[in-house]
Amino acid sequence: MSVLKPLFSVVEALLREHQQLLELATRKKDVLIQNDLEALNEIVQTEVAHIHRIERMELERQGAGRLLAVRAGVPADQLTAERVSQLAETPEERQRMTSLTDDLRTVILKLKDANDLNQILIQQSLNLIQSTVEVLTESPSVPNYGGSGQTLANNPYQQSRVSYFDSKA
């Protein structure tokens, strides 16, 4: 049995979880554009579940790395993906480790880009909401006349403000 087998299985699982997060991020972009809050909520809940699994898998990966470091006589903090590839017993294992780490790196970078785009979409949506609220709460100037037909306090320039919404609520 290869000393890298436990590490392979954890990294493969991490790769699958990150790929699923990438799919969710892509779906989230479409949902944000469509302004489907119910679907967005479902996606966020699913993302949270994936993130919790990734956190557990990351602990497993660290444990497998520490075990591998002990077996190889290498300090655990110096055990990089390249170093793990060097510890492989066969060229196939070395290639597999390199391929897994490259694939994981690629998926994580794509996920970062998708999340950055989603963050921009969310910020634009918030800006639109803020400007709409400002327009709706902005009070147009309307003269307010007293019972005698004179403006309040006999000031022809004094005007009261009427708001569509109570902005202090």
Side-chain angles (χ1 to χ4, degrees):
M1 180 176 130
S2 169
V3 295
L4 296 180
K5 187 173 182 176
L7 193 58
F8 283 147
S9 62
V10 172
V11 173
E12 287 170 344
L14 279 168
L15 177 60
R16 282 190 302 275
E17 287 295 324
H18 281 87
Q19 287 169 333
Q20 290 174 350
L21 273 179
L22 180 58
E23 289 174 21
L24 287 171
T26 303
R27 282 187 28 219
K28 187 191 289 186
K29 178 190 77 164
D30 296 334
V31 165
L32 286 169
I33 291 170
Q34 296 168 358
N35 197 27
D36 185 351
L37 296 180
E38 187 175 317
L40 179 62
N41 188 39
E42 290 174 15
I43 289 172
V44 169
Q45 289 175 356
T46 305
E47 283 178 328
V48 168
H50 283 286
I51 290 168
H52 287 304
R53 284 194 294 270
I54 287 172
E55 288 171 345
R56 285 192 308 271
M57 288 177 196
E58 182 60 22
L59 291 174
E60 288 178 40
R61 185 198 61 79
Q62 290 172 0
R66 282 191 298 273
L67 180 62
L68 182 61
V70 168
R71 288 182 179 171
V74 177
D77 61 342
Q78 293 179 5
L79 196 63
T80 63
E82 183 179 327
R83 181 71 184 214
V84 170
S85 293
Q86 293 171 353
L87 297 173
E89 296 172 359
T90 65
E92 292 81 21
E93 282 185 341
R94 185 172 296 118
Q95 174 57 39
R96 183 176 177 195
M97 191 63 190
T98 301
S99 176
L100 279 173
T101 55
D102 288 346
D103 291 348
L104 185 58
R105 185 177 297 115
T106 300
V107 169
I108 289 173
L109 290 173
K110 286 180 181 179
L111 182 59
K112 180 193 175 304
D113 290 343
N115 284 336
D116 289 346
L117 175 61
N118 287 342
Q119 184 177 3
I120 289 168
L121 290 172
I122 290 169
Q123 188 59 49
Q124 287 175 345
S125 180
L126 289 173
N127 290 343
L128 177 64
I129 291 168
Q130 180 64 32
S131 12
T132 303
V133 167
E134 287 174 4
V135 166
L136 292 175
T137 59
E138 196 174 87
S139 301
S141 296
V142 178
N144 191 3
Y145 294 98
S148 64
Q150 297 292 321
T151 59
L152 294 178
N154 292 326
N155 183 349
Y157 300 105
Q158 182 179 5
Q159 299 174 345
S160 69
R161 295 174 54 96
V162 176
S163 177
Y164 295 106
F165 296 103
D166 182 5
S167 60
K168 294 181 183 178

XYZ file of all heavy atoms in Angstrom, residues 77-167:
714
model
N 5.699 21.216 8.476
C 5.507 22.537 7.877
C 6.282 22.714 6.567
O 6.078 23.680 5.842
C 5.864 23.643 8.860
C 7.321 23.602 9.300
O 7.979 22.560 9.126
O 7.794 24.626 9.829
N 7.156 21.770 6.250
C 7.907 21.836 4.998
C 7.372 20.860 3.943
O 7.972 20.685 2.895
C 9.385 21.534 5.257
C 10.072 22.580 6.086
C 11.532 22.236 6.334
O 12.051 21.260 5.816
N 12.187 23.048 7.146
N 6.222 20.277 4.236
C 5.640 19.294 3.325
C 4.726 20.000 2.325
O 3.558 20.240 2.580
C 4.855 18.237 4.115
C 4.511 16.967 3.365
C 5.769 16.224 2.943
C 3.647 16.083 4.231
N 5.279 20.357 1.190
C 4.524 21.001 0.119
C 4.053 19.939 -0.871
O 4.490 18.785 -0.808
C 5.396 22.033 -0.617
O 6.492 21.331 -1.235
C 5.927 23.092 0.337
N 3.202 20.347 -1.805
C 2.721 19.414 -2.837
C 3.896 18.891 -3.659
O 3.939 17.705 -4.014
C 1.695 20.104 -3.730
N 4.839 19.766 -3.939
C 6.017 19.334 -4.709
C 6.825 18.314 -3.920
O 7.279 17.303 -4.455
C 6.885 20.546 -5.049
C 8.083 20.195 -5.908
C 8.911 21.421 -6.256
O 8.330 22.513 -6.408
O 10.132 21.270 -6.365
N 6.967 18.563 -2.634
C 7.719 17.638 -1.777
C 7.006 16.288 -1.683
O 7.640 15.230 -1.704
C 7.894 18.265 -0.397
C 8.661 17.447 0.588
C 10.115 17.390 0.220
N 10.787 16.518 1.148
C 12.001 16.671 1.571
N 12.709 17.672 1.142
N 12.520 15.823 2.403
N 5.670 16.332 -1.598
C 4.887 15.085 -1.548
C 5.098 14.305 -2.839
O 5.275 13.084 -2.819
C 3.388 15.375 -1.312
C 2.548 14.118 -1.514
C 3.167 15.936 0.080
N 5.112 15.003 -3.971
C 5.341 14.336 -5.257
C 6.697 13.644 -5.267
O 6.855 12.560 -5.833
C 5.272 15.339 -6.405
O 3.971 15.820 -6.537
N 7.691 14.239 -4.639
C 9.022 13.644 -4.583
C 9.036 12.392 -3.710
O 9.876 11.517 -3.893
C 10.038 14.654 -4.046
C 10.288 15.819 -4.977
C 11.132 16.910 -4.335
O 11.432 16.869 -3.141
N 11.502 17.900 -5.134
N 8.109 12.322 -2.768
C 8.039 11.161 -1.881
C 7.288 9.985 -2.519
O 7.240 8.898 -1.949
C 7.364 11.534 -0.559
C 8.082 12.575 0.294
C 7.228 12.974 1.483
C 9.440 12.048 0.746
N 6.712 10.205 -3.674
C 5.952 9.148 -4.349
C 6.856 7.965 -4.662
O 8.029 8.123 -4.990
C 5.329 9.689 -5.629
N 6.280 6.773 -4.550
C 7.042 5.547 -4.778
C 7.178 5.212 -6.256
O 8.116 4.525 -6.646
C 6.376 4.392 -4.027
C 6.387 4.573 -2.519
C 5.565 3.527 -1.795
O 4.945 2.650 -2.452
O 5.530 3.586 -0.553
N 6.223 5.677 -7.076
C 6.254 5.364 -8.505
C 6.034 6.642 -9.315
O 5.473 7.620 -8.799
C 5.146 4.355 -8.880
O 3.877 4.979 -8.674
C 5.258 3.074 -8.063
N 6.431 6.632 -10.580
C 6.167 7.789 -11.437
C 4.665 8.063 -11.592
O 4.248 9.209 -11.723
C 6.785 7.409 -12.782
C 7.774 6.333 -12.482
C 7.270 5.635 -11.256
N 3.848 7.004 -11.549
C 2.404 7.174 -11.663
C 1.852 7.957 -10.473
O 0.997 8.829 -10.630
C 1.693 5.811 -11.769
C 1.958 5.067 -13.063
C 3.303 4.319 -13.060
O 3.863 4.037 -11.973
O 3.788 4.026 -14.166
N 2.343 7.621 -9.274
C 1.921 8.348 -8.076
C 2.360 9.806 -8.155
O 1.610 10.702 -7.773
C 2.505 7.707 -6.806
C 1.793 6.476 -6.348
C 2.347 5.965 -5.024
O 3.490 6.334 -4.649
O 1.634 5.212 -4.359
N 3.558 10.008 -8.619
C 4.088 11.366 -8.749
C 3.206 12.170 -9.716
O 2.799 13.294 -9.421
C 5.534 11.339 -9.257
C 6.200 12.687 -9.310
C 7.689 12.581 -9.621
N 8.355 11.873 -8.521
C 9.008 10.704 -8.635
N 9.139 10.126 -9.788
N 9.558 10.116 -7.602
N 2.869 11.545 -10.853
C 2.024 12.210 -11.838
C 0.620 12.459 -11.269
O 0.045 13.519 -11.478
C 1.932 11.361 -13.124
C 0.972 11.893 -14.160
C 1.288 13.314 -14.591
O 2.439 13.691 -14.740
N 0.249 14.109 -14.791
N 0.105 11.482 -10.561
C -1.231 11.616 -9.976
C -1.273 12.773 -8.978
O -2.206 13.567 -8.982
C -1.638 10.309 -9.296
C -3.026 10.315 -8.721
C -3.383 8.961 -8.164
N -4.681 8.970 -7.539
C -5.113 8.023 -6.738
N -4.352 6.961 -6.475
N -6.298 8.101 -6.187
N -0.245 12.871 -8.135
C -0.194 13.940 -7.140
C -0.073 15.295 -7.824
O -0.759 16.250 -7.460
C 0.980 13.720 -6.171
C 0.935 14.627 -4.995
S -0.565 14.254 -4.057
C -0.585 15.578 -2.919
N 0.765 15.384 -8.817
C 0.936 16.637 -9.553
C -0.371 17.034 -10.229
O -0.790 18.203 -10.177
C 2.066 16.497 -10.593
O 3.275 16.151 -9.918
C 2.275 17.785 -11.356
N -1.026 16.057 -10.849
C -2.284 16.319 -11.542
C -3.363 16.772 -10.559
O -4.092 17.736 -10.830
C -2.725 15.055 -12.283
O -3.962 15.248 -12.882
N -3.474 16.095 -9.418
C -4.480 16.462 -8.421
C -4.258 17.880 -7.892
O -5.200 18.664 -7.794
C -4.467 15.478 -7.251
C -5.193 14.168 -7.444
C -4.942 13.232 -6.259
C -6.678 14.395 -7.625
N -3.023 18.197 -7.563
C -2.754 19.528 -7.018
C -2.957 20.611 -8.078
O -3.482 21.686 -7.773
C -1.348 19.625 -6.411
O -0.375 19.233 -7.374
C -1.220 18.768 -5.172
N -2.580 20.325 -9.318
C -2.813 21.295 -10.395
C -4.315 21.502 -10.619
O -4.776 22.643 -10.777
C -2.154 20.842 -11.698
C -0.643 20.965 -11.665
O -0.102 21.639 -10.758
O 0.010 20.367 -12.565
N -5.078 20.400 -10.637
C -6.527 20.504 -10.829
C -7.180 21.275 -9.680
O -8.040 22.134 -9.910
C -7.169 19.120 -10.940
C -6.792 18.392 -12.223
O -6.225 19.030 -13.135
O -7.068 17.174 -12.299
N -6.752 20.988 -8.460
C -7.305 21.681 -7.298
C -6.975 23.172 -7.359
O -7.837 24.021 -7.124
C -6.796 21.051 -6.003
C -7.382 21.601 -4.703
C -8.895 21.461 -4.676
C -6.755 20.899 -3.504
N -5.762 23.486 -7.701
C -5.341 24.887 -7.825
C -6.179 25.606 -8.896
O -6.664 26.719 -8.683
C -3.857 24.973 -8.167
C -3.307 26.378 -8.206
C -1.797 26.414 -8.486
N -1.050 25.750 -7.426
C -0.329 24.636 -7.586
N -0.238 24.060 -8.764
N 0.317 24.105 -6.577
N -6.383 24.962 -10.029
C -7.167 25.544 -11.123
C -8.608 25.796 -10.693
O -9.166 26.874 -10.936
C -7.138 24.620 -12.357
O -5.777 24.465 -12.773
C -7.954 25.184 -13.497
N -9.222 24.816 -10.044
C -10.610 24.959 -9.604
C -10.726 26.072 -8.563
O -11.665 26.883 -8.602
C -11.155 23.619 -9.054
C -12.490 23.810 -8.352
C -11.301 22.616 -10.178
N -9.781 26.149 -7.655
C -9.821 27.197 -6.625
C -9.683 28.579 -7.252
O -10.383 29.518 -6.864
C -8.750 26.947 -5.544
C -9.154 25.729 -4.696
C -8.545 28.176 -4.673
C -8.112 25.268 -3.707
N -8.822 28.719 -8.252
C -8.683 30.010 -8.929
C -9.958 30.381 -9.685
O -10.391 31.547 -9.667
C -7.480 30.001 -9.871
C -6.110 29.984 -9.186
C -4.991 29.811 -10.211
C -5.902 31.242 -8.365
N -10.583 29.404 -10.348
C -11.849 29.663 -11.042
C -12.938 30.031 -10.041
O -13.765 30.914 -10.295
C -12.277 28.444 -11.855
C -11.477 28.226 -13.113
C -11.976 27.003 -13.858
C -11.156 26.748 -15.112
N -11.616 25.538 -15.823
N -12.935 29.352 -8.900
C -13.913 29.643 -7.851
C -13.722 31.057 -7.318
O -14.685 31.793 -7.105
C -13.778 28.612 -6.734
C -14.743 28.725 -5.559
C -16.186 28.628 -6.030
C -14.441 27.626 -4.545
N -12.476 31.458 -7.147
C -12.193 32.818 -6.690
C -12.714 33.835 -7.698
O -13.357 34.820 -7.327
C -10.699 33.014 -6.475
C -10.326 34.408 -5.987
C -8.847 34.652 -6.091
C -8.464 36.061 -5.727
N -9.143 37.105 -6.479
N -12.471 33.601 -8.978
C -12.957 34.513 -10.025
C -14.485 34.578 -10.028
O -15.066 35.659 -10.135
C -12.446 34.079 -11.399
C -10.952 34.286 -11.571
O -10.353 35.056 -10.781
O -10.373 33.679 -12.498
N -15.137 33.425 -9.906
C -16.606 33.394 -9.890
C -17.141 34.125 -8.664
O -18.119 34.882 -8.764
C -17.097 31.942 -9.912
N -16.505 33.937 -7.522
C -16.949 34.626 -6.309
C -16.714 36.127 -6.409
O -17.522 36.921 -5.931
C -16.253 34.052 -5.079
C -16.831 32.719 -4.664
O -17.978 32.405 -4.962
N -16.038 31.922 -3.984
N -15.609 36.530 -7.035
C -15.350 37.962 -7.245
C -16.436 38.573 -8.125
O -16.939 39.664 -7.845
C -13.973 38.189 -7.868
C -12.828 37.913 -6.902
O -13.072 37.805 -5.678
O -11.683 37.793 -7.384
N -16.814 37.874 -9.196
C -17.872 38.359 -10.079
C -19.198 38.446 -9.327
O -19.927 39.435 -9.443
C -18.015 37.447 -11.302
C -19.161 37.785 -12.249
C -18.998 39.190 -12.829
C -19.248 36.760 -13.361
N -19.510 37.431 -8.540
C -20.754 37.446 -7.766
C -20.754 38.589 -6.758
O -21.783 39.222 -6.529
C -20.975 36.107 -7.068
C -21.382 35.024 -8.041
O -21.819 35.305 -9.151
N -21.220 33.780 -7.635
N -19.605 38.870 -6.176
C -19.506 39.980 -5.235
C -19.791 41.307 -5.940
O -20.490 42.166 -5.411
C -18.126 40.008 -4.591
C -17.967 41.071 -3.526
C -16.613 41.016 -2.856
O -15.751 40.226 -3.210
N -16.415 41.870 -1.883
N -19.295 41.458 -7.150
C -19.557 42.673 -7.940
C -21.053 42.782 -8.241
O -21.650 43.854 -8.112
C -18.721 42.674 -9.235
C -17.247 42.889 -8.907
C -19.210 43.740 -10.210
C -16.298 42.630 -10.066
N -21.671 41.658 -8.635
C -23.109 41.668 -8.921
C -23.923 42.035 -7.680
O -24.888 42.810 -7.761
C -23.556 40.305 -9.463
C -23.068 39.942 -10.853
C -23.414 38.491 -11.172
C -23.666 40.877 -11.891
N -23.538 41.503 -6.546
C -24.235 41.820 -5.296
C -24.063 43.296 -4.963
O -25.024 43.979 -4.584
C -23.741 40.922 -4.144
C -24.224 39.479 -4.366
C -24.218 41.444 -2.793
C -23.586 38.460 -3.447
N -22.855 43.822 -5.128
C -22.603 45.232 -4.830
C -23.420 46.127 -5.766
O -23.996 47.122 -5.325
C -21.117 45.557 -4.949
C -20.768 46.956 -4.478
C -21.155 47.198 -3.033
O -20.856 46.416 -2.151
N -21.841 48.291 -2.780
N -23.501 45.769 -7.044
C -24.306 46.553 -7.983
C -25.780 46.510 -7.597
O -26.479 47.519 -7.679
C -24.115 46.040 -9.410
C -22.774 46.383 -9.998
C -22.564 45.770 -11.375
O -23.285 44.879 -11.800
N -21.546 46.259 -12.077
N -26.237 45.354 -7.171
C -27.623 45.217 -6.738
C -27.885 46.085 -5.510
O -28.908 46.776 -5.433
C -27.923 43.756 -6.441
O -29.247 43.594 -6.028
N -26.959 46.071 -4.566
C -27.113 46.903 -3.368
C -27.097 48.390 -3.720
O -27.858 49.177 -3.147
C -26.013 46.590 -2.353
C -26.121 45.240 -1.657
C -24.887 44.988 -0.800
C -27.380 45.157 -0.828
N -26.245 48.768 -4.664
C -26.203 50.168 -5.097
C -27.527 50.575 -5.731
O -28.022 51.684 -5.499
C -25.056 50.401 -6.081
C -23.693 50.322 -5.422
O -23.572 50.405 -4.203
N -22.660 50.144 -6.219
N -28.092 49.701 -6.548
C -29.382 49.987 -7.171
C -30.472 50.130 -6.110
O -31.283 51.052 -6.163
C -29.751 48.884 -8.167
C -31.114 49.024 -8.830
C -31.162 50.289 -9.684
C -31.412 47.804 -9.676
N -30.470 49.234 -5.147
C -31.459 49.309 -4.067
C -31.285 50.606 -3.292
O -32.269 51.305 -3.003
C -31.340 48.084 -3.131
C -31.799 46.830 -3.857
C -32.144 48.293 -1.850
C -31.465 45.541 -3.142
N -30.045 50.963 -2.978
C -29.780 52.193 -2.234
C -30.256 53.419 -3.005
O -30.892 54.302 -2.452
C -28.275 52.318 -1.923
C -27.914 53.564 -1.156
C -28.530 53.618 0.227
O -28.730 52.591 0.871
N -28.851 54.808 0.684
N -29.968 53.475 -4.315
C -30.417 54.637 -5.087
C -31.930 54.684 -5.196
O -32.520 55.752 -5.150
C -29.814 54.724 -6.468
O -29.172 53.640 -6.898
N -32.568 53.511 -5.302
C -34.026 53.483 -5.354
C -34.612 53.977 -4.038
O -35.558 54.777 -4.037
C -34.524 52.053 -5.656
O -33.949 51.608 -6.877
C -36.033 51.995 -5.740
N -34.051 53.541 -2.943
C -34.522 53.994 -1.627
C -34.314 55.500 -1.493
O -35.189 56.221 -1.008
C -33.814 53.220 -0.486
C -34.048 53.877 0.862
C -34.285 51.780 -0.470
N -33.175 56.006 -1.946
C -32.922 57.443 -1.871
C -33.920 58.226 -2.698
O -34.410 59.262 -2.267
C -31.492 57.751 -2.318
C -30.451 57.342 -1.305
C -29.019 57.501 -1.807
O -28.828 58.013 -2.935
O -28.102 57.128 -1.063
N -34.232 57.736 -3.891
C -35.210 58.419 -4.739
C -36.582 58.405 -4.080
O -37.302 59.409 -4.073
C -35.272 57.774 -6.147
C -36.494 58.228 -6.917
C -34.006 58.085 -6.916
N -36.962 57.276 -3.514
C -38.284 57.163 -2.898
C -38.392 57.938 -1.585
O -39.478 58.378 -1.218
C -38.644 55.697 -2.668
C -38.891 54.880 -3.935
C -39.121 53.416 -3.574
C -40.039 55.431 -4.742
N -37.312 58.087 -0.862
C -37.355 58.805 0.409
C -37.011 60.268 0.248
O -37.195 61.047 1.169
C -36.409 58.179 1.446
O -35.085 58.206 0.947
C -36.845 56.785 1.806
N -36.528 60.659 -0.909
C -36.217 62.056 -1.155
C -37.530 62.803 -1.243
O -38.441 62.421 -1.967
C -35.441 62.194 -2.467
C -34.755 63.505 -2.622
C -33.898 63.464 -3.875
O -34.438 63.773 -4.952
O -32.716 63.105 -3.752
N -37.647 63.893 -0.511
C -38.910 64.617 -0.447
C -38.944 65.724 -1.478
O -38.076 66.587 -1.501
C -39.072 65.234 0.936
O -39.037 64.243 1.908
N -39.964 65.716 -2.314
C -40.116 66.846 -3.217
C -40.610 68.052 -2.425
O -41.295 67.909 -1.426
C -41.176 66.367 -4.212
C -41.942 65.334 -3.479
C -40.971 64.704 -2.512
N -40.249 69.230 -2.834
C -40.684 70.441 -2.145
C -42.077 70.807 -2.607
O -42.325 70.971 -3.794
C -39.721 71.585 -2.442
O -38.460 71.268 -1.922
N -42.994 70.901 -1.646
C -44.378 71.241 -1.936
C -44.779 72.361 -0.984
O -44.583 72.247 0.224
C -45.294 70.012 -1.731
C -46.749 70.362 -1.979
C -44.842 68.873 -2.596
N -45.349 73.465 -1.505
C -45.770 74.529 -0.594
C -46.851 74.033 0.357
O -47.698 73.235 -0.026
C -46.320 75.611 -1.511
C -46.027 75.183 -2.899
C -45.606 73.764 -2.878
N -46.780 74.469 1.584
C -47.762 74.087 2.590
C -48.476 75.354 3.026
O -47.869 76.242 3.607
C -47.062 73.402 3.757
C -48.045 72.749 4.704
O -49.246 72.765 4.456
N -47.526 72.189 5.772
N -49.750 75.421 2.729
C -50.518 76.620 3.035
C -51.302 76.425 4.308
O -51.800 75.347 4.596
C -51.484 76.941 1.889
C -50.771 77.328 0.630
C -50.563 76.409 -0.385
C -50.286 78.620 0.478
C -49.896 76.758 -1.529
C -49.611 78.989 -0.667
C -49.421 78.060 -1.670
O -48.756 78.422 -2.793
N -51.412 77.474 5.065
C -52.237 77.462 6.266
C -53.696 77.650 5.873
O -54.044 77.814 4.708
N -54.557 77.698 6.838
C -55.986 77.837 6.588
C -56.342 79.160 5.920
O -57.359 79.291 5.262
N -55.513 80.191 6.040
C -55.825 81.496 5.475
C -55.318 81.650 4.049
O -55.447 82.707 3.456
C -55.218 82.595 6.348
O -53.806 82.481 6.310
N -54.721 80.626 3.515
C -54.186 80.717 2.162
C -52.765 81.231 2.133
O -52.153 81.318 1.087
N -52.245 81.613 3.264
C -50.870 82.078 3.358
C -49.966 80.895 3.670
O -50.380 79.930 4.279
C -50.729 83.123 4.481
C -51.518 84.376 4.245
C -50.943 85.154 3.070
O -49.736 85.214 2.911
N -51.808 85.718 2.248
N -48.719 80.990 3.220
C -47.785 79.939 3.583
C -47.527 80.017 5.062
O -47.768 81.052 5.699
C -46.459 80.077 2.812
O -45.899 81.322 3.101
C -46.666 79.874 1.327
N -47.053 78.949 5.634
C -46.796 78.897 7.061
C -45.856 80.011 7.473
O -44.888 80.325 6.785
C -46.208 77.537 7.453
C -47.139 76.345 7.273
C -46.405 75.066 7.647
C -48.382 76.497 8.103
N -46.159 80.615 8.591
C -45.362 81.683 9.186
C -45.220 82.861 8.231
O -44.252 83.607 8.306
C -44.007 81.169 9.635
N -46.178 83.005 7.300
C -46.178 84.122 6.356
C -44.876 84.239 5.585
O -44.464 85.314 5.188
C -46.486 85.447 7.058
C -47.909 85.472 7.540
O -48.779 84.907 6.879
N -48.145 86.104 8.669
N -44.191 83.126 5.415
C -42.937 83.129 4.654
C -43.233 82.504 3.301
O -43.468 81.309 3.206
C -41.862 82.327 5.403
C -40.529 82.357 4.693
O -40.435 82.794 3.551
N -39.512 81.893 5.387
N -43.201 83.285 2.219
C -43.532 82.731 0.921
C -42.520 81.709 0.419
O -42.799 80.943 -0.489
C -43.561 83.951 -0.004
C -42.780 84.993 0.694
C -42.864 84.699 2.158
N -41.348 81.646 1.007
C -40.318 80.710 0.554
C -40.253 79.432 1.388
O -39.566 78.496 1.032
C -38.941 81.384 0.553
C -38.903 82.571 -0.361
C -38.913 83.851 0.145
C -38.899 82.397 -1.737
C -38.912 84.947 -0.695
C -38.900 83.477 -2.593
C -38.903 84.755 -2.070
O -38.904 85.826 -2.903
N -40.930 79.433 2.495
C -40.901 78.252 3.349
C -41.798 77.182 2.743
O -42.929 77.455 2.383
C -41.377 78.582 4.760
C -41.302 77.393 5.680
C -41.761 77.752 7.083
O -42.214 78.862 7.331
N -41.652 76.802 7.978
N -41.261 76.023 2.632
C -42.008 74.911 2.064
C -41.850 73.695 2.960
O -40.801 73.493 3.564
C -41.493 74.574 0.661
C -41.650 75.724 -0.304
C -40.999 75.417 -1.640
O -40.220 74.501 -1.755
N -41.341 76.201 -2.643
N -42.876 72.882 3.049
C -42.744 71.647 3.809
C -42.324 70.545 2.846
O -42.521 70.648 1.654
C -44.065 71.286 4.495
O -45.017 70.920 3.536
N -41.777 69.513 3.398
C -41.307 68.403 2.571
C -42.250 67.229 2.775
O -42.601 66.897 3.890
C -39.884 68.027 2.960
C -38.916 69.165 2.655
C -37.532 68.879 3.171
N -36.967 67.649 2.733
C -36.141 67.492 1.708
N -35.785 68.515 1.010
N -35.674 66.318 1.401
N -42.650 66.628 1.685
C -43.528 65.467 1.726
C -42.711 64.280 1.250
O -42.072 64.347 0.212
C -44.758 65.661 0.818
C -45.606 64.408 0.811
C -45.556 66.868 1.271
N -42.731 63.191 1.999
C -41.949 62.015 1.661
C -42.884 60.864 1.329
O -43.958 60.751 1.904
C -41.060 61.632 2.839
O -40.362 60.458 2.548
N -42.460 60.047 0.396
C -43.244 58.859 0.053
C -43.181 57.835 1.168
O -44.102 57.077 1.385
C -42.730 58.227 -1.247
C -42.915 59.132 -2.437
C -41.838 59.778 -3.009
C -44.172 59.348 -2.977
C -42.004 60.613 -4.099
C -44.359 60.178 -4.058
C -43.270 60.808 -4.626
O -43.427 61.622 -5.689
N -42.058 57.781 1.855
C -41.858 56.829 2.947
C -41.261 57.553 4.137
O -40.543 58.531 3.969
C -40.893 55.704 2.540
C -41.412 54.845 1.435
C -40.947 54.989 0.147
C -42.374 53.881 1.686
C -41.418 54.206 -0.876
C -42.855 53.087 0.678
C -42.378 53.240 -0.605
N -41.532 57.037 5.306
C -40.893 57.569 6.495
C -39.507 56.968 6.553
O -39.328 55.807 6.882
C -41.695 57.195 7.727
C -41.111 57.776 9.008
O -40.123 58.545 8.898
O -41.635 57.465 10.080
N -38.507 57.744 6.204
C -37.143 57.212 6.104
C -36.515 56.949 7.451
O -35.456 56.357 7.545
C -36.264 58.169 5.296
O -36.206 59.423 5.923
